[in-house]
Amino acid sequence: MKLRQRQTSVPTRRRAAPSPRRRMVLVTGVLLAASLGLVARAFDLQVVRKEFYQNQGDARFLRVMPIAVSRGTIFDRNGEPLAVSTPVVSIWANPAEVLDNEARLPKLAAAIGMDADALKEYLAQRSEREFVYLKRQMSPDAAQTVLDLGVPGVNGQREFRRFYPSGPVMAHVLGFTNIDDHGQEGLELAFDEWLAGKPGAKRVIRDRMGHVVEDVELVRAPQPGRDITLSIDRRIQFLAYNELKNTIEQSEADSGSMVIIDVRTGEVLAMVNWPTYNPNALRGSSPSSRRNRAMTDVVEPGSTIKPFVMAAALSSGKYTPNGPLVDTGNGHFFYISHDIRDTHAYGLLSPTGILAKSSNIGAAKVSMTLDTGLMYDTYRAFGFGNSTNSGFPGEASGYLKPGKSWGMLEKAILAYGYGLNVTPLQLANGYATIADNGVMHLPTFVKGSDNEAKQIIDAKIANELVQMMVSVTQPGGTAAPYAWIANYGVAGKTGTAHKASGGTYLKNNYSSAFAGIVPASAPRMAAVVVIDNPRKGSYYGALVSGPVFAKVMDGALRLMDVPPDNIGRWYVGGPLQGQNGLTGNKQPTVEAVDDAPVEEVTP
């Protein structure tokens, strides 16, 4: 029997456990290394790369926001507001944030009046941006409805929108602003820097939803726009607008303009055109309707130029209001193979009679006796061929050929208003100069402006011209009784000019005008009415434009508290009374004069 050998194992040596001291050293080392790492990282973030990370944080939460300012208010001469700025809200968005909430797009689109698919496409095309407008210039209530939806990335921005209480009536004078509240036309453009002010800026902190949670600092203080008071009288403007509009519609004319000037200051009291537009709703208006024709369109003045020929004649010393007499013959004057015509055989006429009858032959014969340089210089002195320097954007200069190039026939034709172009404003300013004792003021749209004044002709001659033009509205004159105003003397001149097209004059296309001064005894206002191509009824300046002048100026004289010429009648018997109120002395109706027969114009 074999004895089983007992196996014995050699015991292994157990590892000695780390001492507590070593463990402490190890843990401390690890903690120290971590601490050093954190300190190094903090140093890197807060010192080495502080600006980079701060900019990154600011880019996400810190913004510089504009502070909108209100554009200055435009007032009429009596303090009535003509253009005001009202607060509105523009809705903007961060496209990426909005697209992350695509399910909410339909409600957002409906609130801003867009198709949901179109809004999605619009945002997707601009997804790399952080700011896009969704809807500009909403009313505060409507904008709040959008913001109340709580769509991430959608925010509102306060702005201002221009509003014009008088609408189309003041449109051509005021012009309008664009969506960013900058003047685009009219006085809004001319005085844009004055009215606009300067927006401010502030630095703010926004949360991830784009909401402002804290104002950090004011970067730039806002400077609100400054107000301006115009020379325009809103009441007179309305009168002129209504009468011009009614006449153009009744006569089926293409267009028309009226300008009224305070002769003592050169201040424009009214300026209207038709057709017009609504500056509160520009969409749909045409460039033609937005044109200020009184400033930008030129016309041949026709017989309204004759008082300026007489100004040269009186200045020459060869003529007085009553003589010498000029033989106008039987109504035909053949000069250099050209038939200059009057509608009637007037025979011998004084210079005053030439104006009263609007004799083309008489005006032409007077011009032939004048030095060409004197006649040209007189026209130029009254501003023809030059801008009036009113400061209105786009003002036309008109056209007057240099006098040294005038031929004798051309000189004769220029005497009755063909061969030169003027704007209604230029013509009105010329009449205002005569009315103010021969002193010309630069036309201005600003009340109380320091306006330049210059003596153009002798005061005695200017006064004589006013009295000569009174004959035009008295019995036997071309404008009687169409431009006559009860209890006020009117000095004026009719004009009926054929319009040119394609190098020739049209037989059935006229510019019908009347220019006048009231009251004749102590002039306060001058006005010009021009109606372009009346098709229905008469085309004579006296019949078409004369009544517009009379009706508007009748109201304007009363609104400006101008006493009647015949004030004595109010104390001795009083003015005559009629069914429609005061009538003054009844004027006989006379046959209107066609002072622009087609045969008389330049071939």
Side-chain angles (χ1 to χ4, degrees):
M1 172 177 180
K2 289 184 180 181
L3 296 175
R4 184 177 295 177
Q5 218 175 9
R6 189 176 179 180
Q7 291 185 347
T8 60
S9 60
V10 181
T12 59
R13 190 176 179 179
R14 295 183 63 185
R15 255 185 217 179
S19 68
R21 183 183 182 89
R22 292 181 63 186
R23 290 181 178 178
M24 181 65 70
V25 170
L26 179 63
V27 171
T28 302
V30 172
L31 292 175
L32 181 61
S35 298
L36 290 175
L38 291 174
V39 170
R41 181 59 174 166
F43 181 82
D44 178 62
L45 294 177
Q46 298 181 34
V47 179
V48 178
R49 290 192 285 176
K50 173 184 177 181
E51 185 176 350
F52 170 76
Y53 287 105
Q54 186 169 346
N55 290 338
Q56 290 296 307
D58 290 347
R60 289 162 174 77
F61 300 104
L62 196 62
R63 291 286 189 274
V64 174
M65 291 184 60
I67 303 174
V69 294
S70 175
R71 192 174 176 86
T73 301
I74 301 178
F75 298 97
D76 87 331
R77 68 184 301 108
N78 300 309
E80 294 291 335
L82 303 178
V84 296
S85 291
T86 57
V88 292
V89 176
S90 289
I91 301 298
W92 64 273
N94 183 322
E97 289 187 49
V98 178
L99 290 172
D100 286 342
N101 297 269
E102 186 175 339
R104 307 184 71 174
L105 282 179
K107 286 187 177 181
L108 174 62
I112 62 175
M114 286 185 68
D115 178 75
D117 292 337
L119 176 60
K120 181 179 179 180
E121 181 179 357
Y122 173 82
L123 294 172
Q125 292 174 349
R126 296 158 177 81
S127 59
E128 74 285 353
R129 303 183 190 177
E130 293 185 353
F131 181 101
V132 294
Y133 281 115
L134 297 183
K135 187 78 171 181
R136 296 292 300 272
Q137 298 187 345
M138 299 182 71
S139 69
D141 290 343
Q144 191 59 49
T145 300
V146 177
L147 297 175
D148 286 344
L149 295 175
V151 179
V154 175
N155 300 277
Q157 177 175 297
R158 187 170 187 251
E159 295 180 327
F160 289 91
R161 180 182 179 183
R162 210 61 163 161
F163 176 67
Y164 304 94
S166 298
V169 178
M170 292 286 180
H172 292 114
V173 173
L174 299 178
F176 54 89
T177 60
N178 62 11
I179 198 167
D180 294 316
D181 219 19
H182 294 300
Q184 298 299 291
E185 290 188 16
L187 297 182
E188 289 278 28
L189 174 58
F191 296 105
D192 186 58
E193 185 175 351
W194 177 274
L195 293 164
K198 295 182 179 179
K202 62 181 178 179
R203 188 169 284 110
V204 301
I205 294 176
R206 284 178 170 167
D207 61 17
R208 66 184 186 85
M209 302 293 291
H211 302 140
V212 175
V213 296
E214 182 182 352
D215 289 343
V216 177
E217 64 176 325
L218 180 65
V219 177
R220 183 176 61 253
Q223 299 179 20
R226 291 168 287 183
D227 299 340
I228 188 170
T229 300
L230 302 185
S231 60
I232 297 291
D233 189 309
R234 186 178 65 92
R235 303 166 302 172
I236 300 176
Q237 183 87 357
F238 268 94
L239 282 174
Y241 174 84
N242 288 330
E243 289 300 333
L244 185 71
K245 175 178 179 290
N246 292 339
T247 297
I248 290 175
E249 290 177 347
Q250 291 168 8
S251 63
E252 298 180 359
D254 290 341
S255 61
S257 302
M258 184 174 188
V259 180
I260 304 173
I261 294 179
D262 185 326
V263 303
R264 301 172 304 176
T265 63
E267 293 180 353
V268 179
L269 299 176
M271 177 180 285
V272 295
N273 301 276
W274 184 265
T276 184
Y277 67 100
N278 186 351
N280 297 309
L282 285 173
R283 185 172 298 178
S285 64
S286 66
S288 175
S289 67
R290 296 195 297 267
R291 194 167 71 243
N292 187 346
R293 300 170 189 271
M295 305 286 291
T296 63
D297 287 15
V298 295
V299 296
E300 287 184 299
S303 293
T304 58
I305 204 68
K306 290 172 183 173
F308 304 100
V309 178
M310 292 305 166
L314 298 180
S315 298
S316 72
K318 296 180 180 179
Y319 293 88
T320 68
N322 298 317
L325 300 180
V326 177
D327 185 7
T328 63
N330 62 358
H332 290 268
F333 175 48
F334 292 93
Y335 182 66
I336 312 181
S337 302
H338 189 74
D339 184 13
I340 299 175
R341 294 184 56 201
D342 289 337
T343 53
H344 296 81
Y346 294 124
L348 294 175
L349 291 175
S350 66
T352 297
I354 290 172
L355 291 184
K357 300 298 183 182
S358 195
S359 171
N360 298 314
I361 295 174
K365 285 192 172 183
V366 167
S367 73
M368 294 173 192
T369 67
L370 301 177
D371 178 74
T372 299
L374 173 63
M375 184 171 164
Y376 171 76
D377 289 343
T378 301
Y379 277 18
R380 292 288 289 188
F382 278 101
F384 303 129
N386 285 327
S387 168
T388 67
N389 293 319
S390 67
F392 198 94
E395 179 183 356
S397 298
Y399 173 75
L400 178 65
K401 190 176 181 180
K404 61 183 179 181
S405 63
W406 289 5
M408 289 305 295
L409 177 59
E410 190 172 24
K411 181 180 175 183
I413 292 172
L414 281 162
Y416 51 86
Y418 289 95
L420 75 160
N421 291 320
V422 301
T423 66
L425 177 64
Q426 285 177 320
L427 192 59
N429 199 47
Y431 275 78
T433 300
I434 294 174
D436 193 31
N437 299 307
V439 176
M440 174 176 281
H441 303 271
L442 294 179
T444 178
F445 290 88
V446 179
K447 181 183 179 182
S449 59
D450 184 13
N451 206 358
E452 180 182 341
K454 182 179 180 182
Q455 190 77 42
I456 300 301
I457 57 172
D458 186 84
K460 179 177 180 293
I461 292 174
N463 293 330
E464 289 175 342
L465 286 170
V466 171
Q467 296 308 311
M468 290 169 70
M469 286 189 283
V470 169
S471 66
V472 175
T473 63
Q474 290 182 339
T478 57
Y482 311 105
W484 176 76
I485 301 175
N487 300 303
Y488 291 91
V490 177
K493 187 69 194 73
T494 57
T496 311
H498 289 273
K499 295 184 63 178
S501 178
T504 186
Y505 285 91
L506 306 174
K507 289 188 176 183
N508 298 309
N509 197 318
Y510 299 88
S511 175
S512 305
F514 183 84
I517 298 165
V518 289
S521 63
R524 287 286 303 277
M525 290 177 279
V528 167
V529 181
V530 178
I531 306 294
D532 179 28
N533 191 27
R535 296 183 178 87
K536 185 177 180 181
S538 177
Y539 59 83
Y540 300 150
L543 272 68
V544 179
S545 297
V548 177
F549 173 92
K551 293 175 183 177
V552 174
M553 301 312 292
D554 187 20
L557 287 164
R558 286 160 173 75
L559 289 171
M560 298 292 285
D561 294 324
V562 179
D565 278 331
N566 55 350
I567 190 69
R569 289 181 56 85
W570 292 75
Y571 301 100
V572 184
L576 299 178
Q577 296 286 332
Q579 294 180 351
N580 297 319
L582 300 176
T583 61
N585 297 314
K586 184 174 176 60
Q587 297 287 308
T589 301
V590 296
E591 180 183 356
V593 173
D594 179 358
D595 51 1
V598 70
E599 291 83 356
E600 74 173 21
V601 299
T602 306

